[in-house]
Structures are given as structure tokens and as C-alpha cells.
Amino acid sequence: GESVGLHLPTLSVQEGDNSIINCAYSNSASDYFIWYKQESGKGPQFIIDIRSNMDKRQGQRVTVLLNKTVKHLSLQIAATQPGDSAVYFCAEMRGYSTLTFGKGTMLLVSP
Amino acid sequence: NAGVTQTPKFRVLKTGQSMTLLCAQDMNHEYMYWYRQDPGMGLRLIHYSVGEGTTAKGEVPDGYNVSRLKKQNFLLGLESAAPSQTSVYFCASAPGSGSSYNEQFFGPGTRLTVL
């Protein structure tokens, strides 16, 4: 069954705002948690990952937070741009880098 | 460097027909994967391979078979297509070792409709 899920199906923000996309997971044995971005008609694109023994990792304009106590993962996008509009998936990684995906959150950025 | 490519991009089948989807990668990756994505859903793993000549079942393997005869290719077969297999199919590959061993690179997808 599904072990990774998202709280909000659609998130609408204004250009320049910060966006926060949330995800809950149920499997404590996962090695990594990963965020993917999927634009319409394309395959998912890797954004950032976080190892299960970390609680925060920063990339370019993105930050991932992991709270193992409540099994919660979030993706923060700073200064959101129209090009950030897409569906965002969290995924948990287990053996042989296999992924279990959540249902996705659509991020809509208006100018 | 084309990355991950998938053939065909679109296909319509009648119930009971068979077909093979081809995935090719030119990054010398060890690991390859097949996923399906249904409307409003995340991707679900069908089968995967951790090296030439090896395959393993994922979350939803029933009705599909796979083969990895060459390291760069991963084939997904449907022996007798059913309407429930209407979906978008994505192939992915990952290095399997090194600092980015777990980063999967996805192809553009194949949209399959079974009537």
C-alpha cells in the first residue's frame, strides 16, 4: 500500500513568495527521502534528497526538512518563480535505490 | 549524451494485443527501472534491474515482463494488454554506485492506451 502521502493537492502562490510543500511518510526504514519535480508531459526531475540521519539539507533556492519524530518531510522553495510551476512528489528510497512515490502536489505560481 | 530515451512515445492497443516498450540509457548506469503513472497519482514501480541479466519485481509487476540483455537497454513487455494497463510508462536509470548513486534519471514517458 501507499506509505508516502501529501497533505495538499494544489498550492497556489504569488511570484516571489516562499513555497512550502509537505509530505507524510510511514516507513521508518527508508534510507533516503527525495523530492522530484514533474512538468507537464515530462518525466520527473530530481530536485534534492536527504539522508534519513539528517534533519535539514539546502540546495539552490530549495531546502528539505525531515522530522523523523512525526514522520514528516517538507520542501521549501525560496522566491518562487513561474518556472517552478509543476507537480512535486516526495519519494522514499529503499534497497537498490527503488522509490515509493506519493501522489503529488501541484504548485501554481502566478506572476 | 541523450540520457534516457523511450520508444515509442505513444501507442494504442486493443485488448489482448502484445507490445514491447524500449528504454535506452547512454550514461553507463547499472540500475534501471520501469514505473507507471496513472492520472492524479504518483509513479508506481513495476520492475527493476540492478545489472545486465538481472531483473526483480516492484510494487505492481502483474501483467508485465522485463528483460535486460544489454546494460544500456531495459525492455518492458505486455503479453496480453488489458484496459487497466492504460497509463503513462516511465523508464529511469541510476548509477548504482558513487556519490550520486541513488539519483534516478527519467525518460520522457510512453503514453499507452488499451481499448
Side-chain angles (χ1 to χ4, degrees), chain B residues 70-93:
Chain B
K70 294 183 178 181
K71 185 177 183 178
Q72 64 267 34
N73 296 336
F74 195 28
L75 279 63
L76 177 71
L78 286 73
E79 291 187 348
S80 180
S84 60
Q85 294 178 303
T86 294
S87 190
V88 181
Y89 291 85
F90 288 99
C91 176
S93 69

Side-chain angles (χ1 to χ4, degrees), chain A residues 1-2 32 34 36 38 41-46 49 51 89 93 95-104, chain B residues 31 33 35 37 40-45 48 50 59 90 94 96 101-109 111:
Chain A
E2 192 95 18
Y32 277 88
I34 306 174
Y36 279 87
Q38 187 177 27
K42 296 184 179 180
Q45 180 182 6
F46 177 95
D49 64 3
R51 199 180 183 106
F89 293 96
M93 193 188 79
Y96 296 114
S97 303
T98 58
L99 297 173
T100 299
F101 283 83
K103 290 186 172 62
Chain B
Y31 296 177
Y33 311 83
Y35 295 89
Q37 185 176 31
M41 299 281 289
L43 283 71
R44 290 183 293 169
L45 182 64
Y48 64 100
V50 299
E59 181 186 354
F90 288 99
Y101 77 97
N102 63 332
E103 183 176 342
Q104 290 192 19
F105 295 81
F106 283 82
R111 186 173 295 274

